[in-house]
Amino acid sequence: MAKEQFRLASRMAKLGTETAFEVLGEVKALEAEGKHIVSFCIGEPDFDTPANIRKKAVEAIDSGDTHYTGPQGKIPLRDSISRHMKKTRGLDYSRDDIVVTPGGKLVIFSTIMALAGEGDEVIYPNPGYPIYESAIDFAGAKGIPLPYLEERRFVFELETLKGLITDRTRLIVINSPQNPTGGYVPREDLEELARICVEKDIMVLSDEIYSRLLYEGEFTSIATFPGMKERTIILDGFSKTYAMCGWRLGWAACPPGFAYWVTRMNTNTVSCAPSFVQTAGIEALDGPQDDIDSMVAEFKTRRDLIVGLLNDIEGVSCHSPKGAFYVFPNVTKAVKDLGFADAKELQEYLLYQGNVAVLHRENFGRKNTGEDQEYLRLSYATSQDNIRKGLAMIKAALEDKEKIASFLKAKGAKE
Ligand code: PLP
């Protein structure tokens, strides 16, 4: 449908998207044609939601727990979240400072809309989750990309960050463990960043959605450093940890007084998260955690498997990430040696000729100035069998020089 058809408001030109969903559309179209695609695209656990949580939701529906709740979320759920924040981060939040949202994603939008507008600058991770950039643009603020560097195991450089801060910087978005790289910001860097934020009076949106998916060491939140709880909004949720992506449930843990504004955004948009889903959320946090522990253990095994198989492919090198369920292999050598223009073309070849779906780096933001390497993102939230099969297919596709040549020739002829 033509964009001009509706005489859209000019602000819509600033609304970005998550292009990963477009690739998902291509995968579905190929599958509809009868092709079998092994997909590493989607950032969603392949496990079912644990049975105790499902049961609670069904009971809640049957008992009439189907009405609006207050826009801030049910008090018993906010109390559970407070206890969870204490247990997982050692942080004390009163129920007044917690806002329940339908998915953590809304916390990104609400926080950025509340804090940044015309003339303000927001520093955000690049490569990074694409919704940060979209929300910053939509809010009318200026996005300042902060490179997450392979040579630092996909963490930013403090010196670079310091150089990006100006007197217009309102907010710094951090995400650790990170999507798409799996990078984890070490405690020392968080401590220094905290010191800078306090000194310069800058707020932080700390996206901690993958905090339970950390395979080495203890998770540290930036809000635990002196002066930071007062200036940090923590985003967390149930999608990744409890395999509850489709339930849409997340939360913001806010500095005193800020919950009012996140709540007000709820009131203006979604009213509240679904009532019975909130009830199931209490069970998720307070119920047995054995299923979660085994999911995390399985993700770790898959990480080791996929990293090993990637490093076995000529022209590909891959760090072992500390958290989340993504790997971000460097494919520069493969791209160059095999004659692809870039990782985007490699993604296309792998999908259409290799039947494997992966995402190229620019699905996670434009390249940083001076960035000359090529990357793919693979989600390993899929079975070990799929990982073995898919990686064998990638390896075979990259070794098939004839197939590559005819793909590139056909593409050249089309252009
Ligand atoms: N933040 C990051 C970094 C993510 O990768 C995602 C989902 O992929 C979200 C936030 C949002 O998760 P949800 O809205 O499902 O809670």
Side-chain angles (χ1 to χ4, degrees), residues 234-389:
I234 294 179
L235 175 168
D236 202 345
F238 297 77
S239 292
K240 319 287 172 176
T241 308
Y242 295 96
M244 287 175 73
C245 287
W247 297 65
R248 311 310 302 131
L249 193 63
W251 72 85
C254 304
F258 193 73
Y260 174 84
W261 297 107
V262 181
T263 304
R264 204 150 165 159
M265 292 296 280
N266 270 0
T267 309
N268 275 275
T269 52
V270 292
S271 296
C272 61
S275 186
F276 50 88
V277 170
Q278 295 191 44
T279 301
I282 300 172
E283 174 66 20
L285 295 180
D286 294 350
Q289 303 292 303
D290 317 355
D291 284 344
I292 314 314
D293 295 341
S294 39
M295 279 193 259
V296 175
E298 173 62 19
F299 280 136
K300 189 173 182 217
T301 307
R302 292 175 184 183
R303 175 198 67 173
D304 296 342
L305 176 66
I306 200 166
V307 169
L309 291 171
L310 279 163
N311 281 320
D312 258 359
I313 300 176
E314 179 66 32
V316 177
S317 65
C318 185
H319 277 291
S320 179
K322 287 201 169 158
F325 39 55
Y326 308 107
V327 278
F328 206 64
N330 185 323
V331 292
T332 315
K333 191 165 181 315
V335 164
K336 296 230 163 89
D337 291 354
L338 299 171
F340 293 105
D342 49 25
K344 183 167 188 263
E345 198 167 60
L346 176 59
Q347 169 191 309
E348 200 183 323
Y349 169 71
L350 288 174
L351 180 59
Y352 288 95
Q353 299 298 319
N355 296 330
V356 186
V358 296
L359 295 172
H360 69 85
R361 185 256 183 266
E362 284 178 272
N363 286 289
F364 303 96
R366 281 180 293 274
K367 282 187 176 178
N368 292 304
T369 317
E371 184 180 319
D372 59 1
Q373 300 293 293
E374 300 289 337
Y375 301 95
L376 295 175
R377 187 197 83 170
L378 284 80
S379 157
Y380 52 90
T382 186
S383 69
Q384 294 188 36
D385 276 355
N386 267 351
I387 292 173
R388 278 194 203 91
K389 192 168 157 204

Side-chain angles (χ1 to χ4, degrees), residues 18 43 102-106 108 129 132 175 179 207 209-210 235-240 245 248-250 326:
E18 215 177 320
K105 202 176 213 172
L106 192 60
I108 299 174
Y129 187 51
Y132 309 134
N175 175 211
N179 177 8
D207 185 339
I209 196 101
Y210 296 103
L235 175 168
D236 202 345
F238 297 77
S239 292
K240 319 287 172 176
C245 287
R248 311 310 302 131
L249 193 63
Y326 308 107

Side-chain angles (χ1 to χ4, degrees), residues 55-119:
K55 184 162 173 271
K56 210 29 144 215
V58 172
E59 282 169 11
I61 293 176
D62 286 345
S63 69
D65 185 1
T66 53
H67 300 273
Y68 286 129
T69 73
Q72 192 166 352
K74 287 184 175 183
I75 287 176
L77 175 56
R78 285 191 273 136
D79 286 345
S80 280
I81 294 170
S82 294
R83 289 194 295 276
H84 178 80
M85 296 302 285
K86 179 78 181 169
K87 203 162 57 191
T88 53
R89 285 110 166 143
L91 289 166
D92 285 304
Y93 283 96
S94 100
R95 64 167 74 134
D96 299 339
D97 296 328
I98 306 288
V99 186
V100 176
T101 50
K105 202 176 213 172
L106 192 60
V107 177
I108 299 174
F109 221 77
S110 299
T111 302
I112 291 172
M113 291 299 266
L115 291 177
E118 216 62 55

Side-chain angles (χ1 to χ4, degrees), residues 122-138:
V122 181
I123 296 175
Y124 68 97
N126 185 28
Y129 187 51
I131 300 307
Y132 309 134
E133 190 180 56
S134 173
I136 296 164
D137 287 351
F138 198 63

Side-chain angles (χ1 to χ4, degrees), residues 155-175:
V155 167
F156 54 84
E157 217 149 33
L158 277 162
E159 281 314 305
T160 311
L161 173 63
K162 283 184 200 162
L164 295 177
I165 294 174
T166 70
D167 53 8
R168 292 178 299 281
T169 308
R170 287 289 289 125
L171 181 70
I172 297 176
V173 181
I174 57 168
N175 175 211

